[in-house]
Each structure stands twice: as C-alpha cells, then as structure tokens.
Amino acid sequence: SFNLCGYKNRPLIMGVLNLSPDSFSNVKQIPRNKLHNYIENIINEGAHIIDIGGESTKPNFIDVEDLVEIKRIKRAFKLINKKYSAKIFSIDTRKSSIMLKSLSYGADLINDVSGFDFDKNSLNNISDFKVSKVLHHMQGTPNTMQLKPTYTNVLLDIYDFFEKNIRDKFIGRNIIL
C-alpha cells in the first residue's frame, strides 16, 4: 500500500475509471477486453492515481446493491493487481462494505463523495487500515446538492465545513482535501 504523504509537496493527477453504466462520463460500459486499454490510456495521459467507481453519484442516480457495485469494480482490481501494482488506485464509494472489499483488492485511497456521512460506520469499519481518505464537501446528497445550495459566504462556509469535519472526524487520520 502506498503512503501518500511522500507526495504532499507535489500535485497529483487523478484519472477516473467509472464502471457504472449510468455514469456522468461518456463511458457507458467498458467492455471486458477494453479495460486494459482504458487503464493504459489513463496512465499514459499522466494520471498518478486511478479512481475506480462502480456506482454513479450524479444527480438523480439510482442506488445500486453492494453486490452489483462489487461485481463492477472486481474485474478492474484483478487487472490492476496483475499489471499495474506500481500505481496508486483509489475506490470511489460511499459504502463501507465496498471500501473494505476494495482494500482487500489493494486500494490505496478511499474517495467518498458523501464525506463519510452516507455510511455512518465507514470510518470505524476502515480504522484498522492505514489508508488515506478524500474528504469532500457538498450540501445535501448527490441527488440534492445542486438544488439551490445556499451559503452566507461560500469560501468561509466551506472552510468552516472542512475545519469542523477535520476536527470531529479526522484527527490523527490521513486525509486529502
């Protein structure tokens, strides 16, 4: 597993590997025989981290069952372990069961768009793993975040959000903002 602290003074590029057929990206479904080419393209375009997602969180998405999400990401992780073990891979999920499965597959980073709020047990369930986590900000849920978000002062409100969440949830944990 990678220690992302070694990269703290340099920006990293994250390439996105959306494996959900209802993804916001233009990739609707990557055929099994094209997954290797897709990962190679992401790496060749300069990605340091490849973020794997098996459930869309675009506005008006439909929740998928854990087994469906696992099935979508499993083939990517198998290929990664075979050919790309020297790269950094993250899992984009809101569910601790998927986080745990991905860690067993070799994920180096947890990227949860809900800020670890969707699954209230996620931080406790992954606490035994020394893995970095991405903390996101949004108002509401992925389905409601674009419906009239309001701020008193957008920069200060977001700053306050991160300050509170770092203090309340992430003291002593590796996080990426």
Side-chain angles (χ1 to χ4, degrees):
S1 186
F2 282 85
N3 180 350
L4 293 174
C5 294
Y7 293 97
K8 70 180 174 183
N9 290 322
R10 101 178 212 227
L12 298 178
I13 297 171
M14 179 181 276
V16 176
L17 181 59
N18 286 324
L19 299 173
S20 175
D22 63 339
S23 169
F24 70 90
S25 71
N26 61 355
V27 178
K28 294 302 176 197
Q29 189 64 27
I30 301 170
R32 209 181 247 327
N33 62 343
K34 300 287 184 187
L35 185 58
H36 169 72
N37 294 346
Y38 197 82
I39 293 172
E40 281 287 322
N41 286 341
I42 292 172
I43 292 169
N44 290 338
E45 289 177 6
H48 301 97
I49 303 169
I50 298 178
D51 189 49
I52 302 167
E55 178 184 58
S56 176
T57 51
K58 69 180 183 179
N60 301 314
F61 73 97
I62 298 169
D63 285 326
V64 298
E65 294 178 18
D66 291 11
L67 290 175
V68 172
E69 191 172 350
I70 288 169
K71 184 179 178 186
R72 289 177 180 169
I73 65 169
K74 186 176 183 176
R75 66 188 177 109
F77 275 106
K78 279 185 174 180
L79 180 60
I80 287 161
N81 288 328
K82 227 183 216 183
K83 297 188 179 244
Y84 305 103
S85 59
K87 284 289 176 186
I88 301 170
F89 286 87
S90 73
I91 182 64
D92 177 357
T93 188
R94 304 170 301 140
K95 302 170 189 164
S96 63
S97 62
I98 309 301
M99 293 174 193
L100 288 167
K101 189 57 110 170
S102 299
L103 289 167
S104 75
Y105 292 155
D108 303 297
L109 178 68
I110 305 292
N111 181 15
D112 178 354
V113 299
S114 80
F116 299 89
D117 282 336
F118 175 78
D119 181 340
K120 300 296 184 196
N121 296 315
S122 58
L123 286 173
N124 286 334
N125 288 345
I126 62 173
S127 65
D128 289 343
F129 296 87
K130 291 183 180 181
V131 61
S132 293
K133 295 146 206 81
V134 179
L135 177 59
H136 290 264
H137 167 271
M138 78 170 111
Q139 288 187 351
T141 67
N143 278 326
T144 64
M145 68 184 174
Q146 295 183 8
L147 302 176
K148 298 181 184 173
T150 57
Y151 296 93
T152 303
N153 179 314
V154 69
L155 293 177
L156 289 176
D157 290 354
I158 292 172
Y159 179 88
D160 290 345
F161 167 87
F162 282 118
E163 183 178 57
K164 179 185 182 319
N165 277 275
I166 291 168
R167 181 186 65 237
D168 295 350
K169 295 181 194 173
F170 292 94
I171 294 297
R173 301 179 197 245
N174 293 332
I175 62 166
I176 299 170
L177 303 175

